[in-house]
Amino acid sequence: MFYLFHIFRSFLPTHNPIGFGAVDFVELALAIALAAFALCSRPGSRWMEAARRFASRTVASMIALAILPIALRLALIPAHPIPTPAVLDDFSYILLGDTISHLRFANPPHALPQFFETLFVLQQPTYSSVYPPGQGIALALGKMIFGNPWAGVALSIGAFCALCYWMLRGWITPGWALIGGALAAIEFGPLNQWMNSFWGGGVSACAGSLVFGALPRWRARGRTRDAILLGLGLGVEMLTRPYESIFLLLAVILFLVPALGDRGEMRKLTGLIPAAALAAMPALALMLIQNKQVTGSFTTMPYMLSRYEYGTPTTFTFERLPTPHRALTAEQELGYRVQSAEHGDNRETPASYFTRLASRIRFYRFFFLPPLYLALPAMLALLAESKYRFVFATIVLFALGTTFYPYFYSHYIAAVACLMVLLSVAALDRLDRWTIRGTPAGRDAARIILFLCFAHFAFWFGLHAAGNEYFSRRVWQFETWDAINSGDPQGRIAIHRELDAMAGKQLVFVRYGPQHAFNEWVYNAADVDASKVVWAHDLGAGENEKLLRYYPDRKPWILYPDSHPVRLIPYDQPPPPVELQIPETKTKAPPEHPQLHFEEVH
């Protein structure tokens, strides 16, 4: 690994042992890679034939693609350890996963809830996360099976890559389906935000793959199995992104519209609707159970109660701003004001809506590796085929629906990630078959674009694998969409290690500085009283005495998260001089709001 770092460092304009500069290395690497590419991609080559045979083996290909992104991320563990929660949504999802791992959706309220108020967590009538259960179930499985909730994140990404290949098999040839699965693995795998955070992407992407993979099979064969898989996908999306599940259902209806003209085909398809509905019923039941356990009502979702009590998550842009119905902490008040400012207090108009829609088009780059931009003309040419018009229409449908959110993040439309991959490989396939007067004209172009995609990933993966944080920070400015943890910029890991090394139970009062913003530390496990470390707001000596009496067996501490470095001192010691800390972001934030990590769940 040491030598690998020095190889990559040589790309910088510095002296190196062989006298090469950045341009020399780039030219040499491209020459070697293109020569190898030419040898391996010749028609009839043994590599190509072996790949085609493997692509036709569905189960083996799915297993390989499920393992690939996980193995690549695990290979980075020495340089980039298992991600830890860092932003507001992360901690709420961790709580949700921990709660579900106890086989429940809600926890009893604490006797002194005022010490534990925090964003995106309910304290009354139950102590619970405000989010739907889908992502939490994945985190719970990771914790229960492997002892770490992040394992559930990794498994969901592996499952998505495998299901993406399966979905593509229903639309294109096995060879291109395998290529699409591999593209999904490198794009949404080890360097992607979905793999390196806890707030979703993989589970919803799996749901979309199930639905869009089952649709062409259902229409072509009319099998009950495909109807069940369709219903299962709709159910998973309902559990993960309830609002977006509406558009997924509309996409299913849109796909079936051409069958309306054929009475026999329509009768065959509608006869399987009960099977699909039955497969989605368990998801609906789980949602109702969560509602009842968390809010006390089958029809009141946790985020709805959170909006009523705290004013967050905020409403759709065509709705009025919510009004909090309880006193907010300073951090909650700041979160409410920021979300209110983003929402705006003006009425939604067609002009404001379409301005927001246009402003978000650039963020759809998240779903395409940069070399694929070269295939954009071929993507547009796909509109000549009805099945791809459906694909474009579905993506537009999701874009139109999610524009009613004040915010936008890629996992909101994760259900159509597989369709983005489909457009990529279908465009490359069309380019590969493009001829001029019977002469192949696009084969080399398609293969070079594909090669550049994998070269792009290999370059950035290699830089991160080199493991030098100083070097990585200086090249990150050129890395647009990757998001992977590096170091301990917030100081959380060091503090947690210090507390874990102590004997006995601990009680940490968090005292924020006057400039504190969006770096919440008060998050606890599902069973607060049984935790080794309990995190609480510092409410002043008089109020704190109540919690000290409640936890007589815990050693109390005061944490100063806004000092530099973060300070943890015994509770009875005087405070240290405070030096304001300007933390670096642990993972690269989405580009629209680099300073915020809020999610709206509808």
Side-chain angles (χ1 to χ4, degrees):
M1 195 65 69
F2 175 79
Y3 295 108
L4 184 61
F5 160 66
H6 282 286
I7 290 174
F8 283 107
R9 188 177 66 174
S10 297
F11 278 83
L12 298 177
T14 58
H15 296 291
N16 56 72
I18 59 176
F20 270 31
V23 175
D24 300 302
F25 271 111
V26 171
E27 289 182 351
L28 178 62
L30 284 176
I32 294 173
L34 286 172
F37 172 75
L39 291 173
C40 295
S41 63
R42 290 180 301 172
S45 68
R46 284 183 294 178
W47 287 98
M48 294 286 285
E49 291 303 321
R52 289 192 183 96
R53 288 196 300 270
F54 185 76
S56 63
R57 299 168 58 189
T58 302
V59 175
S61 295
M62 290 183 69
I63 292 174
L65 289 169
I67 294 173
L68 179 59
I70 300 174
L72 288 171
R73 182 60 182 90
L74 293 178
L76 293 176
I77 291 295
H80 301 277
I82 290 175
T84 56
V87 298
L88 304 171
D89 304 87
D90 279 346
F91 291 101
S92 186
Y93 276 118
I94 290 290
L95 171 62
L96 178 59
D98 189 19
T99 303
I100 294 175
S101 72
H102 290 82
L103 303 182
R104 58 178 184 257
F105 288 113
N107 306 291
H110 197 275
L112 298 169
Q114 65 270 27
F115 288 95
F116 307 105
E117 290 286 1
T118 191
L119 288 160
F120 304 144
V121 173
L122 294 169
Q123 299 296 332
Q124 298 288 343
T126 61
Y127 166 51
S128 309
S129 168
V130 304
Y131 290 132
Q135 180 71 7
I137 292 173
L139 299 180
L141 289 174
K143 181 179 180 181
M144 295 168 69
I145 298 173
F146 297 98
N148 191 303
W150 178 77
V153 176
L155 289 174
S156 70
I157 296 298
F160 164 56
C161 294
L163 288 172
C164 184
Y165 157 81
W166 174 81
M167 171 265 179
L168 293 172
R169 283 291 303 268
W171 293 79
I172 54 178
T173 61
W176 283 109
L178 182 62
I179 290 172
L183 282 175
I186 64 174
E187 186 170 4
F188 304 103
L191 305 181
N192 191 272
Q193 184 186 21
W194 291 359
M195 175 72 93
N196 292 286
S197 65
F198 295 85
W199 48 327
V203 178
S204 181
C206 287
S209 297
L210 284 170
V211 170
F212 295 117
L215 277 176
R217 293 174 170 88
W218 183 22
R219 184 173 179 184
R221 303 169 189 171
R223 296 182 304 186
T224 302
R225 182 181 71 179
D226 299 320
I228 292 174
L229 291 174
L230 175 69
L232 179 62
L234 289 171
V236 172
E237 180 71 357
M238 191 189 309
L239 287 174
T240 310
R241 303 289 312 173
Y243 174 61
E244 285 80 0
S245 67
I246 298 172
F247 304 110
L248 196 58
L249 178 59
L250 290 176
V252 172
I253 297 172
L254 180 64
F255 185 87
L256 298 178
V257 166
L260 294 175
D262 188 329
R263 184 173 300 178
E265 183 179 9
M266 198 61 194
R267 187 184 301 112
K268 176 184 67 176
L269 295 177
T270 54
L272 295 174
I273 289 178
L278 188 62
M281 283 298 106
L284 179 60
L286 285 176
M287 286 190 65
L288 294 176
I289 292 171
Q290 184 198 31
N291 294 346
K292 180 63 175 178
Q293 288 190 9
V294 174
T295 70
S297 168
F298 284 113
T299 58
T300 303
M301 300 177 70
Y303 85 87
M304 295 169 62
L305 181 59
S306 175
R307 177 181 294 163
Y308 176 82
E309 292 192 349
Y310 301 103
T312 56
T314 193
T315 54
F316 290 113
T317 55
F318 57 81
E319 295 180 294
R320 291 181 178 274
L321 279 170
T323 301
H325 287 79
R326 63 185 302 155
L328 304 180
T329 66
E331 291 71 36
Q332 290 171 333
E333 175 66 27
L334 181 59
Y336 172 71
R337 286 193 282 112
V338 169
Q339 290 209 11
S340 297
E342 188 65 27
H343 180 286
D345 55 5
N346 298 323
R347 292 188 61 183
E348 178 80 294
T349 65
S352 63
Y353 173 83
F354 285 107
T355 298
R356 190 183 316 111
L357 175 65
S359 71
R360 293 178 178 179
I361 292 175
R362 65 191 188 275
F363 297 119
Y364 284 70
R365 294 179 300 154
F366 177 90
F367 298 93
F368 301 98
L369 290 169
L372 292 172
Y373 305 159
L374 300 173
L376 182 59
M379 288 186 194
L380 297 178
L382 295 173
L383 286 168
E385 300 182 45
S386 60
K387 66 178 183 180
Y388 292 115
R389 287 197 293 271
F390 162 78
V391 172
F392 278 101
T394 298
I395 294 172
V396 169
L397 179 64
F398 271 77
L400 293 173
T402 54
T403 299
F404 289 114
Y405 287 143
Y407 293 94
F408 176 80
Y409 289 102
S410 61
H411 62 280
Y412 291 1
I413 59 171
V416 297
C418 60
L419 296 184
M420 305 290 193
V421 177
L422 172 60
L423 290 179
S424 299
V425 292
L428 291 174
D429 181 25
R430 176 174 284 262
L431 189 59
D432 187 57
R433 293 184 285 110
W434 181 40
T435 61
I436 298 179
R437 296 179 180 178
T439 302
R443 177 175 297 170
D444 290 339
R447 295 181 181 183
I448 288 173
I449 291 172
L450 187 59
F451 159 75
L452 290 175
C453 288
F454 289 98
H456 171 91
F457 169 77
F459 176 79
W460 289 110
F461 184 86
L463 286 179
H464 284 287
N468 185 278
E469 186 174 345
Y470 175 85
F471 180 57
S472 296
R473 288 184 179 182
R474 277 145 187 81
V475 298
W476 269 358
Q477 60 183 314
F478 307 109
E479 189 179 20
T480 54
W481 286 105
D482 294 340
I484 188 168
N485 55 303
S486 178
D488 186 22
Q490 296 179 356
R492 293 179 187 270
I493 298 175
I495 293 296
H496 281 287
R497 286 176 177 170
E498 183 179 351
L499 290 167
D500 288 340
M502 297 176 183
K505 295 182 177 181
Q506 315 297 321
L507 172 61
V508 180
F509 289 96
V510 178
R511 182 175 296 173
Y512 294 121
Q515 303 299 320
H516 179 78
F518 303 123
N519 189 14
E520 182 64 88
W521 283 72
V522 181
Y523 281 98
N524 290 283
D527 191 343
V528 180
D529 292 345
S531 303
K532 179 177 180 178
V533 181
V534 171
W535 301 82
H537 288 287
D538 173 25
L539 301 181
E543 281 295 302
N544 290 353
E545 189 61 31
K546 297 178 182 178
L547 199 61
L548 290 170
R549 289 197 301 268
Y550 186 86
Y551 290 123
D553 58 336
R554 293 180 179 271
K555 182 175 180 179
W557 301 84
I558 289 281
L559 179 80
Y560 296 87
D562 299 312
S563 65
H564 184 67
V566 177
R567 308 285 181 87
L568 179 69
I569 65 173
Y571 182 77
D572 54 0
Q573 287 189 10
V578 175
E579 300 175 25
L580 291 182
Q581 180 185 21
I582 303 177
E584 297 183 38
T585 306
K586 184 177 179 66
T587 59
K588 292 174 66 175
E592 185 173 14
H593 304 287
Q595 79 279 24
L596 304 178
H597 289 271
F598 287 119
E599 176 177 10
E600 287 69 53
V601 180
H602 298 276

PDB file of all heavy atoms in Angstrom, residues 463-483:
ATOM      1  N   LEU A 463      -6.866   5.796  -6.008  1.00  0.00           N
ATOM      2  CA  LEU A 463      -6.455   6.925  -5.180  1.00  0.00           C
ATOM      3  C   LEU A 463      -6.916   6.742  -3.738  1.00  0.00           C
ATOM      4  O   LEU A 463      -6.167   7.003  -2.793  1.00  0.00           O
ATOM      5  CB  LEU A 463      -7.016   8.225  -5.750  1.00  0.00           C
ATOM      6  CG  LEU A 463      -6.369   8.768  -7.024  1.00  0.00           C
ATOM      7  CD1 LEU A 463      -7.060  10.054  -7.452  1.00  0.00           C
ATOM      8  CD2 LEU A 463      -4.883   9.023  -6.820  1.00  0.00           C
ATOM      9  N   HIS A 464      -8.166   6.291  -3.578  1.00  0.00           N
ATOM     10  CA  HIS A 464      -8.657   6.074  -2.209  1.00  0.00           C
ATOM     11  C   HIS A 464      -7.962   4.886  -1.560  1.00  0.00           C
ATOM     12  O   HIS A 464      -7.707   4.895  -0.352  1.00  0.00           O
ATOM     13  CB  HIS A 464     -10.165   5.866  -2.227  1.00  0.00           C
ATOM     14  CG  HIS A 464     -10.943   7.125  -2.417  1.00  0.00           C
ATOM     15  ND1 HIS A 464     -11.073   8.078  -1.436  1.00  0.00           N
ATOM     16  CD2 HIS A 464     -11.619   7.615  -3.486  1.00  0.00           C
ATOM     17  CE1 HIS A 464     -11.802   9.082  -1.875  1.00  0.00           C
ATOM     18  NE2 HIS A 464     -12.152   8.829  -3.127  1.00  0.00           N
ATOM     19  N   ALA A 465      -7.671   3.856  -2.336  1.00  0.00           N
ATOM     20  CA  ALA A 465      -6.990   2.690  -1.775  1.00  0.00           C
ATOM     21  C   ALA A 465      -5.575   3.035  -1.322  1.00  0.00           C
ATOM     22  O   ALA A 465      -5.018   2.367  -0.449  1.00  0.00           O
ATOM     23  CB  ALA A 465      -6.943   1.560  -2.801  1.00  0.00           C
ATOM     24  N   ALA A 466      -4.963   4.091  -1.931  1.00  0.00           N
ATOM     25  CA  ALA A 466      -3.624   4.490  -1.525  1.00  0.00           C
ATOM     26  C   ALA A 466      -3.584   4.876  -0.056  1.00  0.00           C
ATOM     27  O   ALA A 466      -2.546   4.732   0.595  1.00  0.00           O
ATOM     28  CB  ALA A 466      -3.147   5.650  -2.402  1.00  0.00           C
ATOM     29  N   GLY A 467      -4.706   5.396   0.442  1.00  0.00           N
ATOM     30  CA  GLY A 467      -4.847   5.544   1.884  1.00  0.00           C
ATOM     31  C   GLY A 467      -4.148   6.719   2.513  1.00  0.00           C
ATOM     32  O   GLY A 467      -4.003   6.752   3.730  1.00  0.00           O
ATOM     33  N   ASN A 468      -3.690   7.709   1.740  1.00  0.00           N
ATOM     34  CA  ASN A 468      -3.043   8.861   2.336  1.00  0.00           C
ATOM     35  C   ASN A 468      -4.037  10.011   2.400  1.00  0.00           C
ATOM     36  O   ASN A 468      -4.441  10.561   1.375  1.00  0.00           O
ATOM     37  CB  ASN A 468      -1.816   9.269   1.510  1.00  0.00           C
ATOM     38  CG  ASN A 468      -1.046  10.392   2.181  1.00  0.00           C
ATOM     39  OD1 ASN A 468      -1.409  11.548   2.060  1.00  0.00           O
ATOM     40  ND2 ASN A 468       0.002  10.028   2.896  1.00  0.00           N
ATOM     41  N   GLU A 469      -4.450  10.383   3.626  1.00  0.00           N
ATOM     42  CA  GLU A 469      -5.496  11.390   3.794  1.00  0.00           C
ATOM     43  C   GLU A 469      -5.039  12.753   3.285  1.00  0.00           C
ATOM     44  O   GLU A 469      -5.818  13.494   2.673  1.00  0.00           O
ATOM     45  CB  GLU A 469      -5.881  11.471   5.268  1.00  0.00           C
ATOM     46  CG  GLU A 469      -7.064  12.388   5.530  1.00  0.00           C
ATOM     47  CD  GLU A 469      -7.512  12.352   6.970  1.00  0.00           C
ATOM     48  OE1 GLU A 469      -7.108  11.428   7.702  1.00  0.00           O
ATOM     49  OE2 GLU A 469      -8.260  13.255   7.371  1.00  0.00           O
ATOM     50  N   TYR A 470      -3.791  13.102   3.520  1.00  0.00           N
ATOM     51  CA  TYR A 470      -3.269  14.394   3.056  1.00  0.00           C
ATOM     52  C   TYR A 470      -3.393  14.501   1.543  1.00  0.00           C
ATOM     53  O   TYR A 470      -3.851  15.504   1.001  1.00  0.00           O
ATOM     54  CB  TYR A 470      -1.809  14.517   3.484  1.00  0.00           C
ATOM     55  CG  TYR A 470      -1.112  15.757   2.958  1.00  0.00           C
ATOM     56  CD1 TYR A 470      -1.204  16.968   3.643  1.00  0.00           C
ATOM     57  CD2 TYR A 470      -0.367  15.711   1.782  1.00  0.00           C
ATOM     58  CE1 TYR A 470      -0.569  18.106   3.156  1.00  0.00           C
ATOM     59  CE2 TYR A 470       0.261  16.844   1.299  1.00  0.00           C
ATOM     60  CZ  TYR A 470       0.161  18.036   1.985  1.00  0.00           C
ATOM     61  OH  TYR A 470       0.789  19.150   1.496  1.00  0.00           O
ATOM     62  N   PHE A 471      -3.002  13.420   0.866  1.00  0.00           N
ATOM     63  CA  PHE A 471      -3.053  13.416  -0.595  1.00  0.00           C
ATOM     64  C   PHE A 471      -4.496  13.411  -1.085  1.00  0.00           C
ATOM     65  O   PHE A 471      -4.866  14.135  -2.011  1.00  0.00           O
ATOM     66  CB  PHE A 471      -2.289  12.199  -1.107  1.00  0.00           C
ATOM     67  CG  PHE A 471      -2.276  12.077  -2.609  1.00  0.00           C
ATOM     68  CD1 PHE A 471      -1.780  13.092  -3.395  1.00  0.00           C
ATOM     69  CD2 PHE A 471      -2.753  10.935  -3.224  1.00  0.00           C
ATOM     70  CE1 PHE A 471      -1.756  12.984  -4.772  1.00  0.00           C
ATOM     71  CE2 PHE A 471      -2.734  10.815  -4.599  1.00  0.00           C
ATOM     72  CZ  PHE A 471      -2.228  11.838  -5.373  1.00  0.00           C
ATOM     73  N   SER A 472      -5.337  12.598  -0.431  1.00  0.00           N
ATOM     74  CA  SER A 472      -6.726  12.467  -0.870  1.00  0.00           C
ATOM     75  C   SER A 472      -7.463  13.793  -0.801  1.00  0.00           C
ATOM     76  O   SER A 472      -8.243  14.137  -1.699  1.00  0.00           O
ATOM     77  CB  SER A 472      -7.452  11.428  -0.016  1.00  0.00           C
ATOM     78  OG  SER A 472      -6.890  10.151  -0.186  1.00  0.00           O
ATOM     79  N   ARG A 473      -7.233  14.572   0.251  1.00  0.00           N
ATOM     80  CA  ARG A 473      -7.949  15.829   0.404  1.00  0.00           C
ATOM     81  C   ARG A 473      -7.616  16.815  -0.706  1.00  0.00           C
ATOM     82  O   ARG A 473      -8.415  17.688  -1.031  1.00  0.00           O
ATOM     83  CB  ARG A 473      -7.633  16.441   1.759  1.00  0.00           C
ATOM     84  CG  ARG A 473      -8.281  15.692   2.917  1.00  0.00           C
ATOM     85  CD  ARG A 473      -8.021  16.383   4.231  1.00  0.00           C
ATOM     86  NE  ARG A 473      -8.673  15.657   5.333  1.00  0.00           N
ATOM     87  CZ  ARG A 473      -8.637  16.060   6.597  1.00  0.00           C
ATOM     88  NH1 ARG A 473      -7.996  17.173   6.918  1.00  0.00           N
ATOM     89  NH2 ARG A 473      -9.243  15.366   7.531  1.00  0.00           N
ATOM     90  N   ARG A 474      -6.429  16.670  -1.279  1.00  0.00           N
ATOM     91  CA  ARG A 474      -6.018  17.601  -2.321  1.00  0.00           C
ATOM     92  C   ARG A 474      -6.488  17.195  -3.701  1.00  0.00           C
ATOM     93  O   ARG A 474      -6.433  18.001  -4.626  1.00  0.00           O
ATOM     94  CB  ARG A 474      -4.502  17.779  -2.275  1.00  0.00           C
ATOM     95  CG  ARG A 474      -4.123  18.813  -1.235  1.00  0.00           C
ATOM     96  CD  ARG A 474      -2.833  18.528  -0.519  1.00  0.00           C
ATOM     97  NE  ARG A 474      -2.676  19.504   0.574  1.00  0.00           N
ATOM     98  CZ  ARG A 474      -3.283  19.386   1.753  1.00  0.00           C
ATOM     99  NH1 ARG A 474      -4.082  18.370   2.002  1.00  0.00           N
ATOM    100  NH2 ARG A 474      -3.105  20.300   2.691  1.00  0.00           N
ATOM    101  N   VAL A 475      -6.930  15.973  -3.861  1.00  0.00           N
ATOM    102  CA  VAL A 475      -7.487  15.575  -5.152  1.00  0.00           C
ATOM    103  C   VAL A 475      -9.009  15.496  -5.114  1.00  0.00           C
ATOM    104  O   VAL A 475      -9.650  15.389  -6.156  1.00  0.00           O
ATOM    105  CB  VAL A 475      -6.913  14.213  -5.612  1.00  0.00           C
ATOM    106  CG1 VAL A 475      -5.424  14.309  -5.798  1.00  0.00           C
ATOM    107  CG2 VAL A 475      -7.274  13.083  -4.666  1.00  0.00           C
ATOM    108  N   TRP A 476      -9.615  15.571  -3.916  1.00  0.00           N
ATOM    109  CA  TRP A 476     -11.069  15.501  -3.823  1.00  0.00           C
ATOM    110  C   TRP A 476     -11.765  16.622  -4.576  1.00  0.00           C
ATOM    111  O   TRP A 476     -12.908  16.480  -4.995  1.00  0.00           O
ATOM    112  CB  TRP A 476     -11.498  15.533  -2.348  1.00  0.00           C
ATOM    113  CG  TRP A 476     -11.609  14.172  -1.759  1.00  0.00           C
ATOM    114  CD1 TRP A 476     -11.408  12.980  -2.397  1.00  0.00           C
ATOM    115  CD2 TRP A 476     -11.950  13.861  -0.418  1.00  0.00           C
ATOM    116  NE1 TRP A 476     -11.589  11.944  -1.520  1.00  0.00           N
ATOM    117  CE2 TRP A 476     -11.925  12.446  -0.294  1.00  0.00           C
ATOM    118  CE3 TRP A 476     -12.260  14.614   0.704  1.00  0.00           C
ATOM    119  CZ2 TRP A 476     -12.205  11.795   0.892  1.00  0.00           C
ATOM    120  CZ3 TRP A 476     -12.542  13.959   1.883  1.00  0.00           C
ATOM    121  CH2 TRP A 476     -12.516  12.572   1.973  1.00  0.00           C
ATOM    122  N   GLN A 477     -11.095  17.758  -4.719  1.00  0.00           N
ATOM    123  CA  GLN A 477     -11.734  18.863  -5.427  1.00  0.00           C
ATOM    124  C   GLN A 477     -12.039  18.512  -6.881  1.00  0.00           C
ATOM    125  O   GLN A 477     -12.867  19.150  -7.522  1.00  0.00           O
ATOM    126  CB  GLN A 477     -10.824  20.092  -5.380  1.00  0.00           C
ATOM    127  CG  GLN A 477      -9.461  19.874  -6.007  1.00  0.00           C
ATOM    128  CD  GLN A 477      -8.569  21.088  -5.888  1.00  0.00           C
ATOM    129  OE1 GLN A 477      -9.016  22.200  -6.162  1.00  0.00           O
ATOM    130  NE2 GLN A 477      -7.335  20.899  -5.452  1.00  0.00           N
ATOM    131  N   PHE A 478     -11.386  17.477  -7.405  1.00  0.00           N
ATOM    132  CA  PHE A 478     -11.625  17.050  -8.777  1.00  0.00           C
ATOM    133  C   PHE A 478     -12.586  15.868  -8.852  1.00  0.00           C
ATOM    134  O   PHE A 478     -12.889  15.384  -9.936  1.00  0.00           O
ATOM    135  CB  PHE A 478     -10.305  16.659  -9.446  1.00  0.00           C
ATOM    136  CG  PHE A 478      -9.257  17.731  -9.357  1.00  0.00           C
ATOM    137  CD1 PHE A 478      -8.154  17.587  -8.533  1.00  0.00           C
ATOM    138  CD2 PHE A 478      -9.393  18.903 -10.087  1.00  0.00           C
ATOM    139  CE1 PHE A 478      -7.193  18.583  -8.444  1.00  0.00           C
ATOM    140  CE2 PHE A 478      -8.435  19.902 -10.005  1.00  0.00           C
ATOM    141  CZ  PHE A 478      -7.335  19.746  -9.178  1.00  0.00           C
ATOM    142  N   GLU A 479     -13.062  15.408  -7.717  1.00  0.00           N
ATOM    143  CA  GLU A 479     -13.910  14.217  -7.642  1.00  0.00           C
ATOM    144  C   GLU A 479     -15.336  14.684  -7.367  1.00  0.00           C
ATOM    145  O   GLU A 479     -15.666  15.091  -6.261  1.00  0.00           O
ATOM    146  CB  GLU A 479     -13.408  13.301  -6.522  1.00  0.00           C
ATOM    147  CG  GLU A 479     -14.065  11.951  -6.471  1.00  0.00           C
ATOM    148  CD  GLU A 479     -13.490  11.109  -5.342  1.00  0.00           C
ATOM    149  OE1 GLU A 479     -12.904  11.655  -4.413  1.00  0.00           O
ATOM    150  OE2 GLU A 479     -13.643   9.882  -5.403  1.00  0.00           O
ATOM    151  N   THR A 480     -16.198  14.603  -8.353  1.00  0.00           N
ATOM    152  CA  THR A 480     -17.475  15.303  -8.251  1.00  0.00           C
ATOM    153  C   THR A 480     -18.533  14.581  -7.431  1.00  0.00           C
ATOM    154  O   THR A 480     -19.239  15.200  -6.651  1.00  0.00           O
ATOM    155  CB  THR A 480     -18.035  15.564  -9.653  1.00  0.00           C
ATOM    156  OG1 THR A 480     -18.091  14.325 -10.382  1.00  0.00           O
ATOM    157  CG2 THR A 480     -17.161  16.537 -10.421  1.00  0.00           C
ATOM    158  N   TRP A 481     -18.698  13.264  -7.580  1.00  0.00           N
ATOM    159  CA  TRP A 481     -19.867  12.601  -7.005  1.00  0.00           C
ATOM    160  C   TRP A 481     -19.546  11.559  -5.957  1.00  0.00           C
ATOM    161  O   TRP A 481     -20.449  11.064  -5.294  1.00  0.00           O
ATOM    162  CB  TRP A 481     -20.691  11.948  -8.122  1.00  0.00           C
ATOM    163  CG  TRP A 481     -21.445  12.967  -8.915  1.00  0.00           C
ATOM    164  CD1 TRP A 481     -21.153  13.412 -10.172  1.00  0.00           C
ATOM    165  CD2 TRP A 481     -22.594  13.715  -8.502  1.00  0.00           C
ATOM    166  NE1 TRP A 481     -22.052  14.372 -10.576  1.00  0.00           N
ATOM    167  CE2 TRP A 481     -22.948  14.576  -9.572  1.00  0.00           C
ATOM    168  CE3 TRP A 481     -23.354  13.744  -7.348  1.00  0.00           C
ATOM    169  CZ2 TRP A 481     -24.032  15.441  -9.509  1.00  0.00           C
ATOM    170  CZ3 TRP A 481     -24.434  14.610  -7.292  1.00  0.00           C
ATOM    171  CH2 TRP A 481     -24.764  15.439  -8.357  1.00  0.00           C
ATOM    172  N   ASP A 482     -18.295  11.193  -5.805  1.00  0.00           N
ATOM    173  CA  ASP A 482     -17.970  10.183  -4.801  1.00  0.00           C
ATOM    174  C   ASP A 482     -18.146  10.767  -3.405  1.00  0.00           C
ATOM    175  O   ASP A 482     -17.939  11.955  -3.170  1.00  0.00           O
ATOM    176  CB  ASP A 482     -16.540   9.680  -4.980  1.00  0.00           C
ATOM    177  CG  ASP A 482     -16.353   8.925  -6.297  1.00  0.00           C
ATOM    178  OD1 ASP A 482     -17.376   8.485  -6.849  1.00  0.00           O
ATOM    179  OD2 ASP A 482     -15.213   8.789  -6.753  1.00  0.00           O
ATOM    180  N   ALA A 483     -18.512   9.932  -2.461  1.00  0.00           N
ATOM    181  CA  ALA A 483     -18.693  10.360  -1.073  1.00  0.00           C
ATOM    182  C   ALA A 483     -18.272   9.207  -0.178  1.00  0.00           C
ATOM    183  O   ALA A 483     -18.991   8.221  -0.045  1.00  0.00           O
ATOM    184  CB  ALA A 483     -20.143  10.749  -0.810  1.00  0.00           C
TER     185      ALA A 483
END
